[in-house]
Amino acid sequence: MSDIRCDCTRCDAVCCRLTVVLQAGDDVPARFVAINEAGMEVMARDEEGWCVATDPARMCCSIYESRPDVCRRFAMDGPYCREIHADYLARGSRGIPLVMY
Ligand code: SF4
Ligand code: SF4
């Protein structure tokens, strides 16, 4: 695991480039929802890979109060956060083929 401490206020919303699979009970605006190749409802992503609900000016969630359950459970500075953050930096900020369930 990376030794770099992660803080959302100093991060490019790296976790918001992961595929977010929607769960029963999630209530996000329909315009932000897509169907992936496996037929599952996911948060749609833009051409650079960020979730379309990401606020590009502030690099934070524009639907924070109604964000999906999987996003609520993603722990800042937890092992997965650190891993994808380190990978993001190592790749020069491109391509993270991971999925959140
Ligand atoms: S949870 Fe981690 S990866 Fe996500 S925005 Fe915060 S610091 Fe970045
Ligand atoms: S819904 Fe919000 S917290 Fe979840 S991936 Fe999209 S922008 Fe990030």
Side-chain angles (χ1 to χ4, degrees):
M1 186 170 77
S2 168
D3 291 330
I4 302 172
R5 287 194 63 82
C6 295
D7 180 337
C8 298
T9 64
R10 293 183 291 112
C11 175
D12 287 348
V14 177
C15 55
C16 299
R17 297 182 75 201
L18 303 178
T19 297
V20 175
V21 177
L22 297 173
Q23 312 290 311
D26 284 337
D27 184 22
V28 301
R31 68 184 185 280
F32 292 152
V33 178
I35 305 296
N36 72 4
E37 56 282 351
M40 294 186 289
E41 285 193 332
V42 296
M43 291 299 292
R45 293 195 287 180
D46 66 20
E47 58 280 358
E48 293 188 309
W50 269 276
C51 170
V52 293
T54 307
D55 177 338
R58 298 183 299 142
M59 294 313 287
C60 63
C61 182
S62 67
I63 56 166
Y64 189 77
E65 296 303 324
S66 60
R67 67 197 186 284
D69 181 64
V70 70
C71 303
R72 295 172 186 275
R73 290 188 281 110
F74 196 87
M76 181 182 79
D77 203 38
Y80 198 21
C81 166
R82 286 193 177 201
E83 179 184 334
I84 62 168
H85 199 262
D87 190 53
Y88 177 76
L89 295 178
R91 289 170 183 260
S93 312
R94 292 291 164 198
I96 303 173
L98 301 173
V99 177
M100 287 200 289
Y101 290 99

